[in-house]
Amino acid sequence: MIQVALNGNNYCTTSGLLTATGGNTTHDTTVTIGYVIDGKIATKTAITAGATPTTDYNTGAAFPALVGGASVSGVAGKGCTVIWGLITGGTLKCVMGPHEALDISGSFIQAPEFPSVPNDMAPFAYQVLKAGATASASAIIFGTANWNATGFTNAIVNIALLPNRPQVS
């Protein structure tokens, strides 16, 4: 008998179409998310103005600040990835990858890595976050900084399964 490669995995069957924009810290999904955790199917209704998590599901600690260049000549910032996912019961969780240096134009010097994903979490999107040369040196904290903060950019990729590496360009 052939065993299916997705056996026991966590994934999404429909995208939530995550959005996170403007002068606030909230997020939205525009459709119901279908997801699977260890073979069990579940759904999460669309989220409107949902509170963005402020603690990392892996560590239980507050997300660390993404350090920007603070408009100091020649000082670039940092960037990272954040994975958005659901756990049993439809609770939203996020996990943050290691911070990586940006060059002065805001491109990654070394591509960022994904963080570890807990076994009970089904990823439905990831963000590539960048605190560039004009971003604050201390105030860009995921979940508390406005999405449109000076020098802060984020790109969202909606997913069914987590890819091998983040798409950063």
Side-chain angles (χ1 to χ4, degrees):
M1 180 180 247
I2 298 173
Q3 195 167 15
V4 178
L6 294 177
N7 185 21
N9 286 331
N10 303 335
Y11 55 93
C12 285
T13 58
T14 55
S15 168
L17 300 175
L18 177 68
T19 60
T21 60
N24 56 53
T25 62
T26 60
H27 67 280
D28 300 296
T29 59
T30 57
V31 298
T32 296
I33 302 170
Y35 64 103
V36 177
I37 295 179
D38 197 23
K40 295 178 184 172
I41 298 171
T43 58
K44 171 72 173 174
T45 57
I47 301 167
T48 302
T52 299
T54 56
T55 56
D56 190 309
Y57 188 47
N58 277 330
T59 66
F63 291 110
L66 261 180
V67 177
S71 297
V72 175
S73 180
V75 178
K78 300 272 186 169
C80 69
T81 58
V82 170
I83 299 173
W84 294 68
L86 298 168
I87 63 171
T88 300
T91 303
L92 175 73
K93 299 292 182 180
C94 290
V95 292
M96 181 179 279
H99 294 187
E100 297 291 343
L102 302 174
D103 64 21
I104 201 67
S105 68
S107 297
F108 284 100
I109 294 171
Q110 177 178 318
E113 298 177 15
F114 284 128
S116 296
V117 177
N119 290 336
D120 64 342
M121 181 175 156
F124 67 88
Y126 70 88
Q127 274 180 301
V128 177
L129 308 177
K130 295 180 182 180
T134 60
S136 168
S138 63
I140 305 297
I141 300 173
F142 182 81
T144 61
N146 285 346
W147 297 117
N148 67 352
T150 301
F152 179 54
T153 61
N154 76 89
I156 296 171
V157 180
N158 292 290
I159 57 174
L161 291 165
L162 196 63
N164 291 328
R165 63 182 185 276
Q167 181 180 358
V168 295
S169 58

